[in-house]
Amino acid sequence: MKSIRGLIMAILSSATFGLIPLFSIPLMENGNVELQLNLDNVCFYRFLFSAMLMGVIVFVSFARKSKGNFNFRKVASEAFSLTPKQLGLMMLISVFYASTSIFLTASYTIGEIPSGIATTMHFLYPVFVTAMMILFFGEKFTILKALSVALAFGGVFFLSGASFNEGISLNPLGLLFVLVTIFTYGSYIIGVNNLKPIASMNGMKLTFYVLAVSCLLFCGNIVVKGGSFQPLVTFHQWWNILALAFIPTLISDLTLVYAIQIIGSTTTAILGCMEPLTAVLVGISVFGEKLNLNQGIGMVLVFIAVYLVILTQKEKQQ
């Protein structure tokens, strides 16, 4: 039963993460140019409000445990306290998490790598996670697990519309940026479940600190670039940024942490293939995009990969 809950958490995490375009595109492609937010501001507001909301949830959760003996200072101390070792490791994995988004975006903009190719290459992170877990953390290699990784990668390849034609030359800098994201995101997923001071933390508290540190990093990103903080002035902007902060950020990151803690880093990483599938379905149903043959093949491969992951999880229980 616990493993089923973990699988549901992992699928929910990657599926909700795939909803980012649903709320971010309207913010960046507003009909009124003056009301358009740039990517840096969208990322900053996304993590600012998700961290604030997660902070409230953490405090309320710990307050409920006080059972009539509520003391604000005591509850706040229990809810947000960290040991020095936890603080250091928390900063480390949060940097890995936030820098994944920064480097992946940089691969599109600075590195000029087509988004489909970058997305496909980024999805090599389950391979990285699987290899690291087998080599350094004693996880067993199985044919079923290897096949599910391969099918998931193939599914993402078709879904993202990537095409590695001979005529395409990849910018070395852009290629480097994508390779960095494989390491950073893979390391984050491994760290959540295998760094003992972090793995033992309450999942909600862990999620809060990841979101809060990410917010600070994106704030610093704007300052370093010499950019400005664009105000939110319309209901349309507030609605989309709050929805972005809640659904594909807070819910996605919280369920990701719980999934990693329950079913492990490798299985959670493989189930990340639901993210591009959700993004494609949103594009078709909301933005009027057409389903093509490659995407259809990608969907089938993703569903098979998810099914094999479920079978792998059942084998563990036997």
Side-chain angles (χ1 to χ4, degrees), residues 129 133 139 189-191 193-194 260 263-270:
V129 170
M133 292 300 295
E139 189 166 296
I189 290 178
I190 293 171
N193 196 43
N194 294 280
I260 294 171
I263 59 175
S265 303
T266 302
T267 303
T268 303
I270 297 170

Side-chain angles (χ1 to χ4, degrees), residues 65-79:
K65 297 177 182 179
S66 60
K67 296 180 180 179
N69 300 315
F70 177 77
N71 180 293
F72 182 88
R73 188 171 295 181
K74 182 179 179 182
V75 171
S77 176
E78 291 176 352

Side-chain angles (χ1 to χ4, degrees), residues 161-179:
S163 177
F164 295 90
N165 294 326
E166 293 182 3
I168 293 179
S169 64
L170 299 180
N171 185 324
L173 183 61
L175 182 61
L176 175 63
F177 287 155
V178 179
L179 294 177

Side-chain angles (χ1 to χ4, degrees), residues 145-166:
K145 188 178 295 181
L147 183 58
S148 61
V149 170
L151 287 171
F153 177 75
V156 173
F157 173 82
F158 283 105
L159 284 170
S160 63
S163 177
F164 295 90
N165 294 326
E166 293 182 3

Side-chain angles (χ1 to χ4, degrees), residues 9-155:
M9 289 284 188
I11 292 172
L12 180 61
S13 174
S14 59
T16 52
F17 199 74
L19 294 175
I20 289 178
L22 180 62
F23 305 111
S24 60
I25 289 177
L27 288 166
M28 295 186 290
E29 297 183 0
N30 193 299
N32 186 339
V33 177
E34 294 181 357
L35 296 178
Q36 291 180 358
L37 296 181
N38 60 40
L39 180 62
D40 290 336
N41 272 269
V42 169
C43 290
F44 168 67
Y45 283 123
R46 173 190 171 197
F47 286 100
L48 172 65
F49 291 118
S50 61
M52 291 171 62
L53 183 55
M54 193 69 240
V56 172
I57 293 173
V58 171
F59 183 83
V60 171
S61 175
F62 276 80
R64 291 177 62 185
K65 297 177 182 179
S66 60
K67 296 180 180 179
N69 300 315
F70 177 77
N71 180 293
F72 182 88
R73 188 171 295 181
K74 182 179 179 182
V75 171
S77 176
E78 291 176 352
F80 300 107
S81 63
L82 292 174
T83 66
K85 185 173 289 187
Q86 285 177 327
L87 178 60
L89 292 174
M90 181 62 63
M91 294 291 291
L92 177 63
I93 67 168
S94 297
V95 168
F96 282 150
Y97 176 82
S99 59
T100 299
S101 178
I102 294 174
F103 279 106
L104 191 59
T105 302
S107 72
Y108 308 149
T109 55
I110 301 174
E112 299 178 343
I113 288 186
S115 60
I117 293 178
T119 300
T120 302
M121 294 179 67
H122 166 67
F123 202 77
L124 284 169
Y125 77 82
V127 179
F128 173 79
V129 170
T130 303
M132 292 299 102
M133 292 300 295
I134 291 172
L135 291 174
F136 299 106
F137 297 98
E139 189 166 296
K140 291 183 179 180
F141 172 83
T142 66
I143 298 298
L144 203 58
K145 188 178 295 181
L147 183 58
S148 61
V149 170
L151 287 171
F153 177 75

